[in-house]
Amino acid sequence: MVSSKATAAYDEHADWYNELMSPTGGGDYIRRVHATLGDLLGPGDGRTCLDVCCGTGAHASAVAGLGWTPVGVDLSRNQLRHAAHRLPVAVADATALPLADGSVPAAVCVLASTDVPDYAAVLREIARVLAPGGRFVHLGVHPCFVGAFADRRDASRTVIDSRYTDRSHTFASWNTTGVRARLGAWHVPLSDLLNGAAAAGLRIERTAEAGPDGVPDLFGFLGVKEWLPVRGDNL
């Protein structure tokens, strides 16, 4: 994943993550991710959709299947080695995208918000490169029900503790074999996520939750970049 002011932490885990996020490795989870992504992003017309923090390119087929042309950026060269077989890619930091202002009609960031120390900065950068009226889909682990603060061992309930407000990086997790146990994660509380989108100039048009057993493990939203008034226009 792409991370501001950080090394490419996924480099040494790229092969493992590529298998984990494959249709066979990810199973129902990756199918649920792609179904939710498609519901939020909607159909394209061949135009570019920037996949920010594209990692191994695991979501390129879902974006392309909607009629968009995916192009990916990530900091991890080893992950991009896999991604290059699935979409055009470039090495880049998510907080310093090598693109002009207002140059892309759509963007997505999937399962990466907890991989960066300042996701609000990523949202601002995505908003910068989006064309006015452009679409952005955030899709990540559910900020209320997935994290070091959430015990999901019992499928019928999720137990939340006082660490919900702790935004620091941690390897703590009920799942000792997952991504968090290997690479750690930052926590982005729901209010931080939504306020970050609003501050970036993204108008949230739709939200979505998905998960097994009645407790969602995914949360996403469709944000649209606001049209800025031209000086002299009537407000």
Side-chain angles (χ1 to χ4, degrees):
M1 300 300 173
V2 180
S3 176
S4 173
K5 299 179 181 178
T7 59
Y10 274 73
D11 268 354
E12 64 183 276
H13 304 281
D15 294 341
W16 170 81
Y17 192 77
N18 183 58
E19 177 59 29
L20 180 71
M21 288 289 105
S22 69
T24 53
D28 289 340
Y29 182 73
I30 197 68
R31 285 189 287 272
R32 190 163 68 250
V33 168
H34 289 172
T36 308
L37 176 60
D39 181 53
L40 290 170
L41 182 58
D45 56 4
R47 292 182 298 166
T48 297
C49 180
L50 182 66
D51 188 346
V52 180
C53 306
C54 70
T56 60
H59 316 300
S61 62
V63 173
L66 294 167
W68 297 93
T69 301
V71 176
V73 292
D74 204 288
L75 193 64
S76 170
R77 292 179 183 272
N78 279 351
Q79 288 206 107
L80 292 180
R81 173 170 49 86
H82 294 287
H85 299 290
R86 297 167 177 140
L87 74 168
V89 296
V91 179
D93 189 306
T95 63
L97 297 171
L99 296 165
D101 295 358
S103 58
V104 295
V108 299
C109 188
V110 183
L111 300 179
S113 57
T114 57
D115 290 320
V116 298
D118 187 358
Y119 192 57
V122 175
L123 292 173
R124 290 193 299 271
E125 184 67 354
I126 291 171
R128 179 188 69 79
V129 302
L130 271 181
R135 301 164 69 84
F136 166 64
V137 170
H138 158 86
L139 182 57
V141 297
H142 202 297
C144 299
F145 304 120
V146 178
F149 57 87
D151 188 335
R152 299 179 64 97
R153 281 174 289 191
D154 184 342
S156 67
R157 65 176 183 172
T158 297
V159 180
I160 307 300
D161 66 34
S162 61
R163 289 175 291 175
Y164 178 79
T165 57
D166 185 355
R167 296 164 173 81
S168 62
H169 189 267
T170 179
F171 290 85
S173 174
W174 68 273
N175 181 359
T176 59
T177 62
V179 174
R180 289 172 181 272
R182 281 181 177 244
L183 294 130
W186 283 270
H187 175 49
V188 184
L190 181 61
S191 59
D192 287 6
L193 177 61
L194 299 181
N195 289 336
L202 297 168
R203 182 182 72 253
I204 295 177
E205 293 203 340
R206 292 190 58 210
T207 60
E209 296 175 303
D213 306 313
V215 180
D217 56 3
L218 296 173
F219 174 80
F221 66 76
L222 168 64
V224 175
K225 183 176 179 178
E226 299 280 13
W227 290 84
L228 298 178
V230 178
R231 183 174 296 179
D233 284 357
N234 293 326
L235 301 179

